Coordinates of all heavy atoms in Angstrom, one line a residue:
M1 N -15.9 0.9 16.6 CA -17.0 0.7 15.7 C -16.6 -0.1 14.5 O -15.5 0.1 14.0 CB -17.5 2.0 15.3 CG -18.7 2.0 14.3 SD -19.4 3.6 14.0 CE -18.5 4.1 12.5
S2 N -17.3 -1.1 14.0 CA -17.0 -1.9 12.9 C -18.0 -1.6 11.7 O -19.1 -1.4 12.0 CB -16.9 -3.3 13.2 OG -18.2 -3.8 13.6
A3 N -17.5 -1.8 10.5 CA -18.4 -1.6 9.4 C -18.9 -2.9 9.1 O -18.2 -4.0 8.9 CB -17.6 -1.0 8.2
Q4 N -20.2 -3.0 8.9 CA -20.9 -4.3 8.5 C -21.5 -4.1 7.1 O -22.1 -3.0 6.8 CB -22.0 -4.6 9.4 CG -21.5 -4.9 10.9 CD -20.7 -6.1 10.9 OE1 -20.8 -7.1 10.3 NE2 -19.5 -5.9 11.7
P5 N -21.3 -5.0 6.2 CA -21.8 -4.9 4.8 C -23.3 -4.9 4.8 O -23.9 -5.6 5.6 CB -21.3 -6.0 4.1 CG -20.9 -7.1 5.1 CD -20.6 -6.3 6.4
V6 N -24.0 -4.1 3.9 CA -25.4 -4.2 3.9 C -25.9 -5.3 3.1 O -26.8 -6.0 3.4 CB -25.9 -2.9 3.3 CG1 -27.4 -2.8 3.1 CG2 -25.5 -1.7 4.1
H7 N -25.3 -5.6 1.9 CA -25.7 -6.6 1.0 C -24.5 -7.4 0.5 O -23.7 -6.8 -0.1 CB -26.5 -6.1 -0.1 CG -27.8 -5.5 0.2 ND1 -28.9 -6.2 0.7 CD2 -28.2 -4.2 0.3 CE1 -29.9 -5.4 1.0 NE2 -29.5 -4.2 0.7
G8 N -24.5 -8.7 0.7 CA -23.4 -9.5 0.0 C -22.0 -9.1 0.6 O -21.8 -8.0 1.1
G9 N -21.2 -10.1 0.6 CA -19.8 -9.9 1.0 C -19.7 -9.7 2.5 O -20.6 -9.7 3.3
T10 N -18.4 -9.6 3.0 CA -18.2 -9.4 4.4 C -17.1 -8.3 4.4 O -16.6 -7.8 3.4 CB -17.5 -10.7 4.9 OG1 -16.2 -11.0 4.3 CG2 -18.5 -11.9 4.9
A11 N -16.8 -7.9 5.6 CA -15.7 -6.9 5.8 C -14.4 -7.3 5.2 O -13.7 -6.6 4.6 CB -15.6 -6.5 7.3
E12 N -14.1 -8.7 5.3 CA -12.8 -9.2 4.8 C -13.0 -9.4 3.3 O -12.0 -9.3 2.5 CB -12.5 -10.5 5.4 CG -12.2 -10.4 6.9 CD -13.4 -10.2 7.8 OE1 -14.4 -10.8 7.4 OE2 -13.4 -9.7 8.9
H13 N -14.1 -9.7 2.8 CA -14.4 -10.0 1.3 C -15.6 -9.2 0.9 O -16.7 -9.8 0.8 CB -14.6 -11.5 1.1 CG -13.4 -12.3 1.6 ND1 -12.2 -12.4 0.9 CD2 -13.3 -13.1 2.8 CE1 -11.4 -13.2 1.6 NE2 -12.0 -13.6 2.6
P14 N -15.4 -7.9 0.5 CA -16.5 -7.1 0.1 C -17.2 -7.6 -1.2 O -16.5 -8.3 -2.0 CB -16.0 -5.8 0.1 CG -14.6 -5.9 -0.2 CD -14.2 -7.2 0.5
R15 N -18.3 -7.1 -1.5 CA -19.0 -7.4 -2.7 C -18.2 -7.0 -4.0 O -18.1 -7.7 -5.0 CB -20.4 -6.7 -2.8 CG -21.2 -6.9 -3.9 CD -22.6 -6.4 -3.8 NE -22.6 -4.9 -3.7 CZ -23.0 -4.1 -2.7 NH1 -23.4 -4.8 -1.6 NH2 -22.9 -2.9 -2.7
V16 N -17.6 -5.8 -3.8 CA -16.6 -5.3 -4.9 C -15.2 -5.3 -4.2 O -15.0 -4.6 -3.3 CB -17.0 -3.9 -5.3 CG1 -16.0 -3.3 -6.3 CG2 -18.4 -3.9 -5.9
P17 N -14.4 -6.1 -4.8 CA -12.9 -6.0 -4.3 C -12.4 -4.7 -4.4 O -12.6 -4.0 -5.5 CB -12.2 -7.1 -5.2 CG -13.3 -8.0 -5.6 CD -14.5 -7.2 -5.9
R18 N -11.6 -4.2 -3.5 CA -11.1 -2.9 -3.5 C -9.7 -2.9 -4.4 O -8.6 -2.6 -3.8 CB -10.8 -2.4 -2.1 CG -10.6 -0.9 -2.0 CD -10.6 -0.4 -0.6 NE -11.9 0.2 -0.4 CZ -12.2 1.1 0.5 NH1 -11.3 1.3 1.5 NH2 -13.3 1.7 0.6
T19 N -9.9 -3.3 -5.6 CA -8.8 -3.3 -6.5 C -9.2 -2.7 -7.8 O -10.4 -2.5 -8.1 CB -8.4 -4.8 -6.8 OG1 -9.5 -5.4 -7.6 CG2 -8.0 -5.6 -5.6
I20 N -8.2 -2.3 -8.7 CA -8.5 -1.7 -9.9 C -9.4 -2.7 -10.8 O -10.4 -2.3 -11.3 CB -7.2 -1.4 -10.7 CG1 -6.5 -0.3 -10.0 CG2 -7.6 -1.0 -12.1 CD1 -5.1 0.0 -10.5
G21 N -9.1 -4.0 -10.8 CA -9.9 -4.9 -11.5 C -11.3 -5.1 -10.9 O -12.3 -5.2 -11.7
G22 N -11.4 -5.1 -9.6 CA -12.7 -5.3 -9.0 C -13.5 -4.1 -9.2 O -14.7 -4.3 -9.5
I23 N -13.0 -3.0 -9.1 CA -13.8 -1.7 -9.3 C -14.3 -1.7 -10.8 O -15.4 -1.4 -11.1 CB -13.0 -0.5 -8.9 CG1 -12.7 -0.5 -7.4 CG2 -13.7 0.8 -9.3 CD1 -11.6 0.5 -7.0
S24 N -13.4 -1.9 -11.7 CA -13.7 -1.7 -13.1 C -14.7 -2.8 -13.5 O -15.6 -2.5 -14.4 CB -12.5 -1.8 -14.0 OG -11.9 -3.1 -14.0
S25 N -14.6 -4.0 -13.0 CA -15.6 -5.0 -13.3 C -17.0 -4.7 -12.8 O -18.0 -5.1 -13.4 CB -15.2 -6.3 -12.7 OG -14.0 -6.8 -13.3
A26 N -17.1 -3.9 -11.7 CA -18.4 -3.6 -11.1 C -19.1 -2.4 -11.7 O -20.3 -2.3 -11.6 CB -18.2 -3.4 -9.6
L27 N -18.3 -1.5 -12.3 CA -19.0 -0.2 -12.9 C -19.8 -0.5 -14.1 O -19.4 -1.3 -14.9 CB -17.8 0.7 -13.1 CG -17.2 1.3 -11.9 CD1 -15.9 2.1 -12.3 CD2 -18.1 2.1 -11.0
R28 N -20.9 0.2 -14.2 CA -21.8 0.1 -15.4 C -21.4 1.1 -16.5 O -21.0 2.2 -16.2 CB -23.2 0.4 -14.9 CG -23.8 -0.5 -13.9 CD -25.1 -0.2 -13.6 NE -25.7 -1.1 -12.6 CZ -27.0 -1.1 -12.3 NH1 -27.8 -0.3 -12.8 NH2 -27.4 -2.0 -11.3
G29 N -21.5 0.6 -17.7 CA -21.4 1.4 -18.9 C -20.2 2.4 -19.0 O -19.0 2.1 -18.7
S30 N -20.5 3.7 -19.2 CA -19.5 4.6 -19.4 C -18.8 5.0 -18.1 O -17.7 5.7 -18.1 CB -20.1 5.9 -20.0 OG -21.0 6.5 -19.0
L31 N -19.3 4.6 -16.9 CA -18.6 4.9 -15.7 C -17.2 4.2 -15.7 O -16.3 4.7 -15.1 CB -19.4 4.4 -14.5 CG -20.7 5.2 -14.2 CD1 -21.4 4.6 -13.0 CD2 -20.4 6.6 -14.0
R32 N -17.1 3.0 -16.3 CA -15.8 2.4 -16.4 C -14.8 3.2 -17.1 O -13.6 3.3 -16.7 CB -16.0 1.0 -17.1 CG -14.7 0.2 -17.0 CD -14.9 -1.2 -17.7 NE -15.8 -1.9 -16.8 CZ -16.6 -2.9 -17.3 NH1 -16.6 -3.1 -18.5 NH2 -17.4 -3.6 -16.4
A33 N -15.2 3.8 -18.2 CA -14.3 4.6 -18.9 C -13.8 5.9 -18.1 O -12.7 6.3 -18.2 CB -14.9 5.1 -20.3
Q34 N -14.8 6.4 -17.4 CA -14.5 7.6 -16.5 C -13.5 7.2 -15.5 O -12.6 7.9 -15.1 CB -15.7 8.2 -16.0 CG -16.6 8.9 -17.0 CD -18.0 9.2 -16.3 OE1 -18.2 9.1 -15.1 NE2 -18.9 9.7 -17.1
F35 N -13.7 6.1 -14.9 CA -12.8 5.5 -13.8 C -11.4 5.4 -14.5 O -10.4 5.8 -13.8 CB -13.3 4.2 -13.3 CG -12.4 3.4 -12.5 CD1 -11.9 3.9 -11.3 CD2 -11.9 2.1 -13.0 CE1 -10.9 3.2 -10.5 CE2 -11.0 1.4 -12.2 CZ -10.6 1.9 -11.0
F36 N -11.2 4.7 -15.5 CA -9.9 4.5 -16.1 C -9.3 5.9 -16.5 O -8.1 6.1 -16.3 CB -10.0 3.6 -17.3 CG -9.9 2.2 -16.8 CD1 -11.0 1.4 -17.1 CD2 -8.8 1.7 -16.2 CE1 -11.0 0.0 -16.7 CE2 -8.8 0.3 -15.8 CZ -9.9 -0.5 -16.1
A37 N -10.0 6.9 -17.0 CA -9.5 8.1 -17.3 C -8.9 8.8 -16.0 O -7.8 9.4 -16.1 CB -10.6 9.0 -17.9
E38 N -9.7 8.8 -15.0 CA -9.2 9.4 -13.7 C -8.0 8.7 -13.2 O -7.0 9.2 -12.7 CB -10.2 9.5 -12.7 CG -11.3 10.5 -12.9 CD -12.3 10.7 -11.8 OE1 -11.9 10.5 -10.6 OE2 -13.4 11.0 -12.1
L39 N -8.0 7.2 -13.3 CA -7.0 6.4 -12.8 C -5.7 6.7 -13.5 O -4.6 6.8 -12.9 CB -7.4 5.0 -13.0 CG -6.6 3.9 -12.4 CD1 -6.6 4.0 -10.8 CD2 -7.1 2.5 -12.8
L40 N -5.7 6.8 -14.8 CA -4.5 7.0 -15.6 C -3.9 8.4 -15.3 O -2.7 8.6 -15.6 CB -4.9 6.9 -17.1 CG -5.2 5.5 -17.5 CD1 -5.7 5.4 -19.0 CD2 -4.0 4.5 -17.3
E41 N -4.6 9.4 -14.9 CA -4.1 10.7 -14.6 C -3.6 10.9 -13.2 O -2.9 11.8 -12.9 CB -5.2 11.8 -14.9 CG -5.6 11.9 -16.3 CD -4.5 12.3 -17.2 OE1 -3.7 13.2 -16.7 OE2 -4.3 11.8 -18.3
A42 N -4.0 10.0 -12.3 CA -3.6 10.0 -10.9 C -2.2 9.7 -10.7 O -1.6 8.7 -11.3 CB -4.5 9.2 -10.1
Q43 N -1.5 10.4 -9.8 CA -0.2 10.2 -9.4 C -0.2 9.2 -8.3 O -1.1 9.2 -7.4 CB 0.6 11.4 -8.9 CG 0.8 12.5 -10.1 CD 1.6 13.6 -9.6 OE1 2.4 13.4 -8.6 NE2 1.6 14.7 -10.3
Q44 N 0.8 8.3 -8.2 CA 0.9 7.3 -7.2 C 1.0 8.0 -5.8 O 1.5 9.1 -5.6 CB 2.2 6.5 -7.4 CG 2.4 5.4 -6.3 CD 3.6 4.5 -6.7 OE1 4.4 4.8 -7.5 NE2 3.7 3.5 -5.9
G45 N 0.3 7.4 -4.9 CA 0.3 8.0 -3.5 C -1.2 8.4 -3.2 O -2.1 7.7 -3.5
A46 N -1.3 9.5 -2.5 CA -2.5 9.9 -2.0 C -3.5 10.3 -3.1 O -4.8 9.9 -2.9 CB -2.4 11.2 -1.2
E47 N -3.1 10.8 -4.2 CA -4.0 11.0 -5.3 C -4.6 9.8 -5.9 O -5.8 9.7 -6.1 CB -3.3 11.8 -6.4 CG -4.2 12.3 -7.5 CD -3.5 13.1 -8.6 OE1 -2.3 13.3 -8.4 OE2 -4.2 13.6 -9.5
L48 N -3.8 8.7 -6.1 CA -4.2 7.5 -6.6 C -5.2 6.8 -5.6 O -6.2 6.3 -6.0 CB -3.1 6.6 -7.0 CG -3.4 5.2 -7.5 CD1 -4.2 5.3 -8.7 CD2 -2.2 4.4 -7.7
D49 N -4.8 6.9 -4.3 CA -5.7 6.3 -3.3 C -7.0 7.0 -3.2 O -8.1 6.3 -3.1 CB -5.0 6.5 -1.9 CG -3.8 5.6 -1.8 OD1 -3.6 4.7 -2.6 OD2 -3.0 5.9 -0.8
S50 N -7.1 8.3 -3.5 CA -8.3 9.0 -3.5 C -9.2 8.6 -4.6 O -10.4 8.4 -4.5 CB -8.0 10.5 -3.6 OG -9.2 11.2 -3.6
V51 N -8.6 8.4 -5.8 CA -9.3 8.0 -7.0 C -10.0 6.6 -6.7 O -11.1 6.3 -6.9 CB -8.5 8.0 -8.3 CG1 -9.2 7.3 -9.4 CG2 -8.2 9.4 -8.7
L52 N -9.2 5.7 -6.2 CA -9.6 4.3 -5.9 C -10.8 4.4 -4.9 O -11.7 3.6 -5.0 CB -8.5 3.4 -5.5 CG -7.4 3.1 -6.6 CD1 -6.2 2.3 -6.0 CD2 -8.1 2.2 -7.7
N53 N -10.6 5.1 -3.8 CA -11.6 5.2 -2.7 C -12.9 5.7 -3.3 O -14.0 5.1 -3.0 CB -11.1 6.0 -1.6 CG -10.1 5.3 -0.7 OD1 -10.0 4.0 -0.7 ND2 -9.2 6.1 -0.1
A54 N -12.9 6.8 -4.1 CA -14.1 7.3 -4.6 C -14.8 6.4 -5.5 O -16.0 6.2 -5.4 CB -13.8 8.7 -5.3
W55 N -14.1 5.8 -6.4 CA -14.6 4.9 -7.4 C -15.1 3.6 -6.8 O -16.0 2.9 -7.2 CB -13.7 4.7 -8.6 CG -13.9 5.8 -9.5 CD1 -13.0 6.9 -9.6 CD2 -14.9 6.1 -10.4 NE1 -13.5 7.8 -10.5 CE2 -14.6 7.4 -11.1 CE3 -16.0 5.5 -10.8 CZ2 -15.4 8.0 -12.0 CZ3 -16.8 6.0 -11.8 CH2 -16.5 7.2 -12.4
W56 N -14.4 3.2 -5.7 CA -14.8 1.9 -5.1 C -16.2 2.1 -4.4 O -17.1 1.3 -4.6 CB -13.9 1.5 -4.0 CG -14.3 0.2 -3.2 CD1 -14.2 -1.0 -3.6 CD2 -14.9 0.2 -1.9 NE1 -14.7 -1.9 -2.7 CE2 -15.1 -1.1 -1.6 CE3 -15.2 1.2 -1.0 CZ2 -15.7 -1.6 -0.5 CZ3 -15.7 0.8 0.2 CH2 -16.0 -0.6 0.5
G57 N -16.4 3.3 -3.8 CA -17.7 3.6 -3.2 C -18.8 3.6 -4.3 O -19.9 3.1 -4.1
R58 N -18.5 4.2 -5.4 CA -19.4 4.3 -6.6 C -19.7 2.9 -7.1 O -20.9 2.6 -7.4 CB -18.8 5.1 -7.7 CG -19.7 5.5 -8.8 CD -20.0 6.9 -8.9 NE -21.0 7.1 -9.8 CZ -21.0 8.2 -10.7 NH1 -20.0 9.0 -10.7 NH2 -22.0 8.3 -11.5
A59 N -18.7 2.0 -7.2 CA -18.9 0.7 -7.6 C -19.8 -0.1 -6.6 O -20.6 -0.9 -7.0 CB -17.6 -0.1 -7.8
M60 N -19.6 0.1 -5.3 CA -20.4 -0.5 -4.3 C -21.8 -0.1 -4.5 O -22.8 -0.9 -4.4 CB -19.9 -0.2 -2.9 CG -18.7 -0.9 -2.5 SD -18.8 -2.6 -2.4 CE -19.7 -2.8 -0.8
L61 N -22.1 1.1 -4.8 CA -23.4 1.7 -5.0 C -24.1 1.1 -6.2 O -25.2 0.6 -6.3 CB -23.5 3.1 -5.0 CG -23.2 3.9 -3.7 CD1 -23.1 5.4 -4.0 CD2 -24.3 3.6 -2.7
D62 N -23.3 0.9 -7.3 CA -23.7 0.4 -8.6 C -24.1 -1.1 -8.5 O -24.9 -1.5 -9.3 CB -22.6 0.6 -9.6 CG -23.0 1.5 -10.7 OD1 -23.9 2.4 -10.6 OD2 -22.4 1.4 -11.8
T63 N -23.5 -1.8 -7.6 CA -23.8 -3.2 -7.5 C -24.7 -3.6 -6.3 O -25.0 -4.8 -6.0 CB -22.5 -4.0 -7.2 OG1 -21.9 -3.5 -6.0 CG2 -21.6 -3.9 -8.4
D64 N -25.3 -2.5 -5.7 CA -26.3 -2.8 -4.6 C -27.6 -3.5 -5.2 O -28.1 -2.9 -6.0 CB -26.6 -1.5 -3.9 CG -27.5 -1.7 -2.7 OD1 -28.2 -2.6 -2.6 OD2 -27.4 -0.8 -1.7
P65 N -27.8 -4.6 -4.6 CA -29.1 -5.3 -5.2 C -30.3 -4.5 -5.0 O -31.3 -4.7 -5.8 CB -29.2 -6.6 -4.4 CG -27.9 -6.8 -3.7 CD -27.2 -5.4 -3.6
D66 N -30.4 -3.6 -4.1 CA -31.6 -2.8 -3.8 C -31.5 -1.4 -4.6 O -32.5 -0.6 -4.3 CB -31.8 -2.6 -2.4 CG -32.3 -3.8 -1.6 OD1 -32.9 -4.7 -2.3 OD2 -32.0 -4.0 -0.4
R67 N -30.5 -1.2 -5.3 CA -30.3 0.0 -6.0 C -31.6 0.6 -6.7 O -31.9 1.7 -6.5 CB -29.1 0.0 -7.0 CG -28.8 1.2 -7.8 CD -27.6 0.8 -8.7 NE -27.2 2.0 -9.4 CZ -27.6 2.3 -10.6 NH1 -28.3 1.4 -11.4 NH2 -27.2 3.4 -11.3
D68 N -32.2 -0.2 -7.6 CA -33.3 0.3 -8.3 C -34.5 0.6 -7.4 O -35.2 1.6 -7.7 CB -33.7 -0.7 -9.4 CG -32.5 -0.8 -10.5 OD1 -31.8 0.2 -10.7 OD2 -32.4 -1.9 -11.1
R69 N -34.7 -0.3 -6.5 CA -35.8 -0.1 -5.6 C -35.6 1.2 -4.7 O -36.6 2.0 -4.6 CB -36.0 -1.3 -4.6 CG -37.2 -1.1 -3.6 CD -37.2 -2.2 -2.5 NE -36.0 -2.2 -1.7 CZ -35.7 -1.3 -0.7 NH1 -36.6 -0.4 -0.5 NH2 -34.6 -1.3 0.0
I70 N -34.4 1.4 -4.2 CA -34.1 2.6 -3.4 C -34.3 3.9 -4.2 O -34.8 4.8 -3.8 CB -32.7 2.5 -2.8 CG1 -32.8 1.3 -1.7 CG2 -32.3 3.8 -2.2 CD1 -31.3 1.0 -1.2
R71 N -33.8 3.9 -5.5 CA -33.9 5.0 -6.3 C -35.3 5.3 -6.6 O -35.7 6.5 -6.6 CB -33.1 4.7 -7.7 CG -33.2 5.9 -8.6 CD -32.4 5.7 -9.9 NE -32.3 6.9 -10.6 CZ -31.3 7.4 -11.2 NH1 -30.2 6.8 -11.0 NH2 -31.3 8.5 -11.8
A72 N -36.2 4.3 -6.9 CA -37.6 4.5 -7.2 C -38.3 5.2 -6.0 O -39.1 6.1 -6.1 CB -38.2 3.3 -7.6
A73 N -37.9 4.6 -4.8 CA -38.6 5.2 -3.5 C -38.1 6.6 -3.4 O -38.9 7.4 -2.9 CB -38.2 4.3 -2.4
A74 N -36.8 6.9 -3.6 CA -36.4 8.3 -3.4 C -37.0 9.3 -4.4 O -37.5 10.3 -4.0 CB -34.9 8.4 -3.6
E75 N -37.2 8.8 -5.7 CA -37.9 9.6 -6.6 C -39.3 9.8 -6.3 O -39.9 10.9 -6.6 CB -37.6 9.0 -8.1 CG -36.3 9.2 -8.5 CD -36.0 8.5 -9.9 OE1 -36.9 7.7 -10.3 OE2 -34.9 8.7 -10.4
A76 N -39.9 8.7 -5.7 CA -41.4 8.9 -5.4 C -41.6 9.6 -4.1 O -42.7 9.8 -3.7 CB -42.0 7.4 -5.3
G77 N -40.5 9.9 -3.4 CA -40.7 10.6 -2.0 C -41.1 9.6 -0.9 O -41.6 10.1 0.1
T78 N -40.9 8.3 -1.1 CA -41.3 7.4 -0.1 C -40.2 6.7 0.6 O -40.4 5.8 1.4 CB -42.2 6.3 -0.7 OG1 -41.5 5.6 -1.8 CG2 -43.5 6.9 -1.3
L79 N -38.9 7.2 0.3 CA -37.8 6.6 1.0 C -37.7 6.9 2.4 O -37.8 8.2 2.7 CB -36.5 7.0 0.2 CG -35.2 6.4 0.7 CD1 -35.2 4.9 0.4 CD2 -34.1 7.1 0.1
P80 N -37.6 6.0 3.3 CA -37.6 6.5 4.8 C -36.3 7.3 5.0 O -35.3 6.9 4.6 CB -37.5 5.1 5.5 CG -37.9 4.0 4.5 CD -37.6 4.6 3.1
T81 N -36.5 8.3 5.9 CA -35.4 9.1 6.2 C -35.4 9.2 7.7 O -36.2 8.9 8.4 CB -35.5 10.6 5.6 OG1 -36.8 11.1 6.1 CG2 -35.6 10.5 4.1
T82 N -34.2 9.8 8.2 CA -34.1 10.0 9.7 C -33.3 11.3 9.9 O -32.6 11.8 9.0 CB -33.5 8.8 10.3 OG1 -33.5 8.9 11.7 CG2 -31.9 8.6 9.9
T83 N -33.3 11.8 11.0 CA -32.6 13.0 11.4 C -31.2 12.6 11.9 O -31.1 11.5 12.5 CB -33.3 13.8 12.4 OG1 -33.4 13.2 13.6 CG2 -34.7 14.3 11.9
M84 N -30.3 13.5 11.9 CA -29.0 13.3 12.6 C -29.2 13.1 14.1 O -28.4 12.2 14.7 CB -28.1 14.4 12.2 CG -26.7 14.1 12.6 SD -26.1 12.7 11.5 CE -24.5 12.4 12.3
D85 N -30.1 13.8 14.7 CA -30.3 13.6 16.1 C -30.8 12.1 16.4 O -30.4 11.5 17.4 CB -31.4 14.5 16.6 CG -31.0 16.0 16.7 OD1 -29.7 16.2 16.8 OD2 -31.9 16.9 16.6
E86 N -31.6 11.6 15.5 CA -32.0 10.2 15.7 C -30.8 9.2 15.6 O -30.8 8.2 16.3 CB -33.1 9.9 14.7 CG -33.7 8.4 14.8 CD -34.4 8.1 16.1 OE1 -34.7 9.0 16.8 OE2 -34.5 6.9 16.4
V87 N -30.0 9.5 14.6 CA -28.9 8.6 14.3 C -28.0 8.7 15.6 O -27.5 7.6 16.1 CB -28.0 9.1 13.1 CG1 -26.7 8.4 13.0 CG2 -28.9 8.8 11.8
L88 N -27.7 9.8 16.1 CA -26.9 10.0 17.3 C -27.5 9.3 18.6 O -26.8 8.6 19.3 CB -26.6 11.5 17.6 CG -25.7 12.2 16.6 CD1 -25.7 13.6 16.9 CD2 -24.4 11.6 16.6
R89 N -28.8 9.4 18.7 CA -29.6 8.8 19.8 C -29.3 7.3 19.7 O -29.1 6.6 20.7 CB -31.0 9.1 19.8 CG -31.8 8.6 20.9 CD -33.3 8.8 20.9 NE -33.8 8.0 19.7 CZ -34.0 6.7 19.7 NH1 -33.7 6.0 20.7 NH2 -34.6 6.2 18.6
R90 N -29.5 6.7 18.5 CA -29.4 5.2 18.3 C -28.0 4.8 18.7 O -27.8 3.7 19.3 CB -29.7 4.8 16.9 CG -31.2 4.9 16.6 CD -31.5 4.3 15.3 NE -32.6 5.0 14.6 CZ -32.8 5.0 13.4 NH1 -32.0 4.4 12.5 NH2 -33.8 5.6 12.9
R91 N -27.0 5.6 18.2 CA -25.6 5.2 18.5 C -25.3 5.2 20.0 O -24.7 4.4 20.5 CB -24.7 6.2 17.8 CG -24.7 5.9 16.2 CD -23.7 6.7 15.6 NE -22.3 6.1 16.0 CZ -21.2 6.7 15.7 NH1 -21.1 7.9 15.1 NH2 -20.0 6.1 16.0
Q92 N -25.9 6.2 20.7 CA -25.7 6.3 22.1 C -26.3 5.2 22.8 O -25.7 4.6 23.8 CB -26.2 7.6 22.7 CG -25.3 8.8 22.3 CD -25.9 10.2 22.6 OE1 -27.1 10.3 22.9 NE2 -25.1 11.2 22.6
E93 N -27.5 4.7 22.3 CA -28.1 3.6 23.0 C -27.3 2.3 22.9 O -27.3 1.5 23.7 CB -29.6 3.4 22.3 CG -30.6 4.4 22.7 CD -31.9 4.3 22.1 OE1 -32.0 3.4 21.2 OE2 -32.8 5.0 22.4
R94 N -26.6 2.2 21.7 CA -25.8 1.0 21.4 C -24.4 1.1 22.1 O -23.6 0.2 22.0 CB -25.6 0.8 20.0 CG -26.8 0.3 19.3 CD -26.5 -0.1 17.8 NE -25.6 0.7 17.1 CZ -25.9 1.6 16.1 NH1 -27.2 1.6 15.8 NH2 -25.1 2.4 15.6
G95 N -24.1 2.3 22.7 CA -22.8 2.5 23.4 C -21.7 3.0 22.5 O -20.6 3.0 22.9
A96 N -22.1 3.4 21.3 CA -21.0 4.0 20.4 C -20.8 5.4 20.7 O -21.6 6.1 21.3 CB -21.6 3.9 18.9
Q97 N -19.7 5.9 20.4 CA -19.2 7.3 20.6 C -19.2 8.1 19.4 O -18.9 7.6 18.4 CB -18.0 7.3 21.5 CG -18.2 6.7 22.8 CD -16.9 6.9 23.6 OE1 -16.0 7.5 23.2 NE2 -16.8 6.3 24.7

């Protein structure tokens, strides 16, 4: 299975580079300060990797061009949803395991 970007970027060149600079540049407002606070406390290795992974995901969400539209739809109760059974059925149809 391969990950395909939803908006902008490619798997090789994502919308937000998975670097400290890329993540901090993408975060809005006070989130950047929170990111640096966690980053400065993390020990090299798994703990630092975990901080970078978590904040990279947050940065990707923060830079999603559809972010405001999706949030408004979720708040209005009009965001399309699906069940896990439907997700599994679609994956099986595509041959994914």
Side-chain angles (χ1 to χ4, degrees):
M1 181 172 94
S2 65
Q4 297 297 320
V6 176
H7 295 289
T10 64
E12 295 81 27
H13 302 285
R15 182 175 63 246
V16 176
R18 196 170 255 198
T19 64
I20 293 170
I23 295 167
S24 67
S25 294
L27 292 170
R28 296 180 182 192
S30 65
L31 292 179
R32 183 177 296 148
Q34 291 174 3
F35 166 63
F36 278 115
E38 287 186 33
L39 189 66
L40 292 171
E41 293 298 318
Q43 291 187 23
Q44 185 175 3
E47 186 177 1
L48 179 60
D49 292 344
S50 178
V51 169
L52 290 173
N53 285 334
W55 280 99
W56 178 77
R58 186 115 189 222
M60 287 293 287
L61 292 173
D62 245 20
T63 59
D64 186 332
D66 288 333
R67 177 180 184 257
D68 294 333
R69 180 190 62 76
I70 291 169
R71 182 181 185 129
E75 289 174 351
T78 59
L79 186 67
T81 60
T82 189
T83 64
M84 194 61 190
D85 289 338
E86 179 65 16
V87 171
L88 293 173
R89 184 190 63 74
R90 285 187 212 158
R91 290 188 70 190
Q92 288 173 345
E93 286 177 358
R94 288 192 315 253
Q97 294 183 9

